Amino acid sequence: MSKTSRLALIERLVRENVIGSQEDLLRMVEDTGMKCTQATLSRDLRQLGISRGFDGSGGYRYLLPGGREGEAEALPGSATAAITGMTWARGLLLISTPPGFASAVAIRIDRAGRYEIAGTVAGDDTILLIPRDNISNEAIEECLKTIFKSDIK
Amino acid sequence: MSKTSRLALIERLVRENVIGSQEDLLRMVEDTGMKCTQATLSRDLRQLGISRGFDGSGGYRYLLPGGREGEAEALPGSATAAITGMTWARGLLLISTPPGFASAVAIRIDRAGRYEIAGTVAGDDTILLIPRDNISNEAIEECLKTIFKSDIK
DNA sequence: ATTAAAAATGTATAAATTTGCACACTAAAT
DNA sequence: ATTTAGTGTGCAAATTTATACATTTTTAAT
């Protein structure tokens, strides 16, 4: 249970999850069996250059250095990594991706041909997903999980 | 002493100085004669998307969204000139631009990282701007004014 | 002008993060 | 084996940031 492996774990957790506080991160770390305190995480985060920013939905999120979220992660293969955020607004789902990745991800969604999804519009780094009438947000999110489940490895 | 001017001031102070805490920022704001509290700054910073990162020397520093410091990021001519029309429909704002300019303008909007704006989708000559829930049309228009104020000079 | 609704702000307080300090552990040197 | 220097950590206090609530100000509508 070395410091090094803890740092690696933290980096991965932060990259792959929306983590809003060190307490949350602590819980996730403990879930893997490792043990430490929030104070240690504070020091680790500084060492890793991971800082707290905004998640785009009014909440907070720890972000890897070098700015842009999952940008470092390539799309080829895992489209999930190319989805950097999702926000519901006005009954529509906005999906964020690194610049240039939106249409690639949108194509994946369209190809799935799900009834619940009326259609999508892709910009450069944002996809607007229009749910069919009377379909719940939850149903759409389930859809997406299903669609991208395949490449979670 | 409007909120708008305070936000502009904060943005400038953060861009031009190494500010390590909201208390420090508060002092600088007060030095200019404006008056407010730390609580207000906390809210302003969130709205501006300004988050606390590391200054590379063991300390902290507030950083503008989009990371990069100086970030000149010029748009061919003035972005304002590239907006040829705006229409509200179904709670969404449709912004018209000359062919090919949509994404350039949209990027400017996205980079601002404004809370009120959930996201944008750019086509070739039209941008669909989606306001966050419970944000008024007026608030959005104010946002846009602020965002493009800089190049009206 | 009056009322209603929304936005902004300060105060007080809560929540979250950072840090001083003491101690434990390791590795190298004596 | 003992000492010394360095690193890492927990604990608890200090600091910093966020928020609930009440109040004021602004804006919109009648």
Side-chain angles (χ1 to χ4, degrees):
Chain A
M1 214 171 280
S2 67
K3 176 178 183 179
T4 315
S5 58
R6 190 184 60 242
L7 291 183
L9 172 64
I10 291 172
E11 184 164 11
R12 184 168 64 72
L13 289 174
V14 169
R15 176 168 356 97
E16 300 175 355
N17 301 277
V18 175
I19 299 176
S21 74
Q22 294 180 9
E23 291 293 346
D24 286 353
L25 175 57
L26 179 57
R27 246 165 266 131
M28 301 184 78
V29 167
E30 287 175 338
D31 282 350
T32 73
M34 270 197 200
K35 194 173 266 310
C36 70
T37 63
Q38 172 271 322
T40 295
L41 291 183
S42 173
R43 293 170 180 123
D44 288 350
L45 290 172
R46 160 180 296 206
Q47 184 163 358
L48 290 168
I50 294 173
S51 58
R52 189 169 71 153
F54 306 100
D55 71 354
S57 310
Y60 300 91
R61 174 180 185 169
Y62 279 87
L63 302 168
L64 294 174
R68 302 314 177 222
E69 271 96 300
E71 192 162 30
E73 307 320 307
L75 172 63
S78 170
T80 326
I83 293 183
T84 59
M86 304 206 309
T87 314
W88 281 97
R90 318 238 169 184
L92 305 173
L93 178 61
L94 284 153
I95 303 172
S96 310
T97 74
F101 284 55
S103 78
V105 175
I107 285 173
R108 285 287 305 276
I109 297 174
D110 293 336
R111 290 249 182 84
R114 301 292 305 239
Y115 168 79
E116 297 93 329
I117 300 174
T120 65
V121 189
D124 181 58
D125 60 4
T126 304
I127 298 165
L128 177 60
L129 185 156
I130 298 90
R132 210 171 281 283
D133 287 342
N134 303 313
I135 296 295
S136 72
N137 294 3
E138 290 68 30
I140 295 295
E141 288 176 12
E142 269 309 307
C143 264
L144 292 175
K145 268 185 211 157
T146 306
I147 294 172
F148 295 113
K149 192 171 44 191
S150 54
D151 43 2
I152 296 181
K153 297 191 206 93
Chain B
M1 208 175 279
S2 67
K3 176 176 182 180
T4 314
S5 58
R6 190 184 59 243
L7 291 182
L9 170 64
I10 291 171
E11 185 165 10
R12 185 168 63 72
L13 288 174
V14 169
R15 185 188 8 258
E16 301 174 354
N17 302 277
V18 175
I19 299 176
S21 75
Q22 294 179 10
E23 292 295 344
D24 286 353
L25 176 56
L26 179 57
R27 246 164 267 132
M28 301 183 78
V29 168
E30 287 175 338
D31 283 350
T32 73
M34 270 196 200
K35 195 173 266 311
C36 70
T37 62
Q38 171 268 322
T40 295
L41 291 183
S42 174
R43 292 185 272 243
D44 288 349
L45 290 173
R46 160 182 297 207
Q47 183 163 5
L48 289 168
I50 295 173
S51 59
R52 190 169 71 155
F54 306 100
D55 70 354
S57 311
Y60 300 92
R61 173 178 186 170
Y62 278 87
L63 301 168
L64 295 174
R68 308 300 165 251
E69 234 143 291
E71 183 129 41
E73 192 54 48
L75 184 68
S78 153
T80 327
I83 294 181
T84 61
M86 307 204 309
T87 314
W88 284 95
R90 310 227 168 201
L92 303 173
L93 179 61
L94 288 155
I95 303 173
S96 311
T97 73
F101 282 60
S103 84
V105 175
I107 284 173
R108 283 289 303 276
I109 297 172
D110 292 337
R111 288 258 175 80
R114 298 295 303 239
Y115 171 78
E116 298 91 327
I117 299 174
T120 65
V121 188
D124 182 58
D125 61 2
T126 303
I127 298 166
L128 180 59
L129 184 157
I130 297 86
R132 205 172 281 286
D133 288 341
N134 303 313
I135 297 294
S136 71
N137 293 3
E138 289 69 29
I140 295 296
E141 290 176 11
E142 269 306 309
C143 263
L144 293 175
K145 269 185 213 157
T146 305
I147 294 171
F148 295 113
K149 190 173 43 192
S150 55
D151 43 326
I152 292 177
K153 292 208 190 72

